[in-house]
Amino acid sequence: MEENELPVQDMIQTAFAMLQKSYTPYSHFKVGAALLDADGKIWGGCNIENAAYTPCNCAERTAFFKAVSEGQHRFKAIAVVGGHEGQVKDFCTPCGVCRQVMAEFCNPRSFRIICAKSPEQYRVQTLEELLPDSFGPTDLGQSVEAQ
C-alpha cells in the first residue's frame, strides 16, 4: 500500500485526539495512536499507566487490542504521536513490544507506521524497516490472514 492511498491526515488527527485521553500520572509521557484496519475504519488508542508499571499499556497496543476484541484482524497502517505532558516536539516511534504485536497481525513489508510531529511533519516507514528479521506466526508454521 502506498502512502498516498492512506488517510494520513485523518489518522494523525485521531492520534492527536487520543493523546489527550492518555492516563500518565507517573511518566507524564502521553502517546496517541490511530490504527487503520483493512475496511478503512480508524481505531484510536492512548497509553494507560499503572502505579505497578507492568500493567501499563501503550497507545498502539490499546488500539490493536480494541480492534481485535471487536473481531478485526487485518490492518494497513498506524499513526503515532507522543511527548512529555502531551507536547509533541519530536517523532515518537512504537516500542519493541508494540512492534512485536504489530508483527502478529500485519505484513511487515506492507504495514505502514506514520510517526508525526504535526499534521504537516510526519514520516512513514514499514514495520519491516522498524523491526527487521522479526519473529512472527510464519516462524511457527502459521499463516496470518493479513499476510
Coordinates of all heavy atoms in Angstrom, one line a residue, residues 1 5-6 10 17 33 44 56 60 62 68 70 84 102 104 109 128-129 139-140 146:
M1 N 0.8 -1.2 0.0 CA 0.0 0.0 0.0 C 0.9 1.2 0.0 O 1.8 1.4 0.8 CB -0.9 0.0 1.2 CG -1.5 1.3 1.5 SD -2.9 1.3 2.6 CE -4.1 0.5 1.5
E5 N -2.3 6.4 -0.6 CA -3.6 5.6 -0.5 C -4.1 5.6 0.9 O -5.2 5.0 1.2 CB -3.4 4.2 -1.0 CG -3.0 4.1 -2.5 CD -2.7 2.7 -2.9 OE1 -3.2 1.7 -2.3 OE2 -1.9 2.5 -3.8
L6 N -3.4 6.2 1.8 CA -3.8 6.2 3.2 C -4.4 7.5 3.6 O -4.0 8.6 3.1 CB -2.6 6.0 4.1 CG -1.8 4.7 4.0 CD1 -0.5 4.7 4.8 CD2 -2.7 3.5 4.4
D10 N -6.3 12.2 8.5 CA -7.3 11.7 9.4 C -6.7 10.9 10.5 O -7.1 11.0 11.7 CB -8.4 10.9 8.7 CG -9.3 11.7 7.8 OD1 -9.3 13.0 7.9 OD2 -9.9 11.1 6.9
A17 N -5.9 13.5 18.9 CA -7.1 13.5 19.8 C -7.0 12.4 20.9 O -7.3 12.7 22.1 CB -8.4 13.2 19.0
A33 N -2.5 7.0 19.4 CA -2.3 6.2 18.2 C -3.7 6.1 17.4 O -4.7 6.2 18.0 CB -1.9 4.8 18.5
G44 N -8.8 4.3 17.6 CA -7.9 5.1 18.4 C -7.4 4.4 19.7 O -8.1 3.4 20.1
C56 N 0.9 -1.5 32.7 CA 0.8 -0.4 31.7 C 0.5 -0.9 30.3 O 0.9 -2.0 30.0 CB 2.0 0.5 31.7 SG 2.3 1.4 33.3
E60 N -0.4 2.2 21.1 CA -0.5 1.3 19.9 C -1.2 0.0 20.2 O -2.1 -0.5 19.5 CB 0.9 1.0 19.3 CG 1.6 2.3 18.9 CD 2.5 2.9 20.0 OE1 2.2 2.8 21.2 OE2 3.6 3.5 19.6
T62 N -3.2 -0.5 22.7 CA -4.6 -0.3 23.1 C -5.4 -0.3 21.8 O -6.5 -0.9 21.8 CB -4.7 1.1 23.8 OG1 -4.0 1.0 25.0 CG2 -6.1 1.4 24.1
V68 N -9.0 -5.8 17.7 CA -9.0 -7.3 17.7 C -10.2 -7.8 18.6 O -10.8 -8.8 18.2 CB -7.6 -7.9 18.2 CG1 -7.7 -9.4 18.4 CG2 -6.6 -7.6 17.1
E70 N -12.9 -6.6 18.8 CA -14.2 -6.4 18.1 C -14.2 -7.3 16.8 O -15.1 -7.1 16.0 CB -14.4 -4.9 17.7 CG -14.5 -4.0 18.9 CD -15.8 -4.3 19.7 OE1 -16.8 -4.6 19.0 OE2 -15.8 -4.2 20.9
H84 N 6.2 14.5 26.2 CA 6.1 14.8 27.6 C 5.0 15.8 27.9 O 4.9 16.9 27.2 CB 7.4 15.4 28.2 CG 7.4 15.6 29.7 ND1 7.5 14.5 30.5 CD2 7.3 16.7 30.4 CE1 7.4 15.0 31.8 NE2 7.3 16.3 31.7
M102 N 2.4 -5.8 16.4 CA 2.1 -5.5 15.0 C 2.5 -6.6 14.1 O 1.8 -7.0 13.2 CB 2.9 -4.2 14.6 CG 2.3 -2.9 15.2 SD 3.4 -1.5 14.8 CE 2.8 -0.3 16.0
E104 N 2.4 -9.6 14.7 CA 1.4 -10.7 14.9 C 0.3 -10.6 13.9 O -0.2 -11.6 13.4 CB 0.8 -10.7 16.3 CG -0.2 -11.8 16.5 CD 0.4 -13.2 16.6 OE1 1.6 -13.4 16.8 OE2 -0.4 -14.2 16.4
R109 N 6.1 -6.1 5.4 CA 6.6 -5.3 4.2 C 5.5 -4.3 3.7 O 5.9 -3.3 3.1 CB 6.8 -6.3 3.1 CG 8.0 -7.2 3.3 CD 8.2 -8.4 2.3 NE 7.1 -9.3 2.4 CZ 6.9 -10.2 3.3 NH1 7.7 -10.3 4.4 NH2 5.9 -11.1 3.3
E128 N 8.7 -3.6 8.6 CA 9.9 -4.3 8.4 C 11.1 -3.4 8.6 O 12.2 -3.8 9.1 CB 9.9 -4.8 6.9 CG 11.1 -5.7 6.6 CD 11.0 -6.3 5.2 OE1 10.8 -5.6 4.2 OE2 11.0 -7.6 5.2
E129 N 11.0 -2.1 8.3 CA 12.1 -1.2 8.5 C 12.3 -1.0 10.0 O 13.5 -0.8 10.4 CB 11.8 0.1 7.8 CG 11.9 0.1 6.3 CD 11.4 1.3 5.6 OE1 10.3 1.9 6.1 OE2 12.0 1.7 4.6
D139 N 7.1 -18.0 11.5 CA 8.2 -18.8 12.1 C 7.7 -20.0 12.8 O 8.4 -21.0 13.0 CB 8.9 -17.9 13.1 CG 9.7 -16.8 12.4 OD1 10.5 -17.0 11.5 OD2 9.3 -15.6 12.7
L140 N 6.4 -20.0 13.1 CA 5.8 -21.2 13.8 C 5.0 -22.0 12.8 O 4.2 -22.9 13.2 CB 4.9 -20.7 14.9 CG 5.6 -19.9 16.0 CD1 4.6 -19.4 17.1 CD2 6.7 -20.8 16.7
A146 N -3.6 -11.4 7.3 CA -3.2 -10.1 6.7 C -1.9 -10.4 5.8 O -1.6 -9.6 5.0 CB -2.8 -9.1 7.8

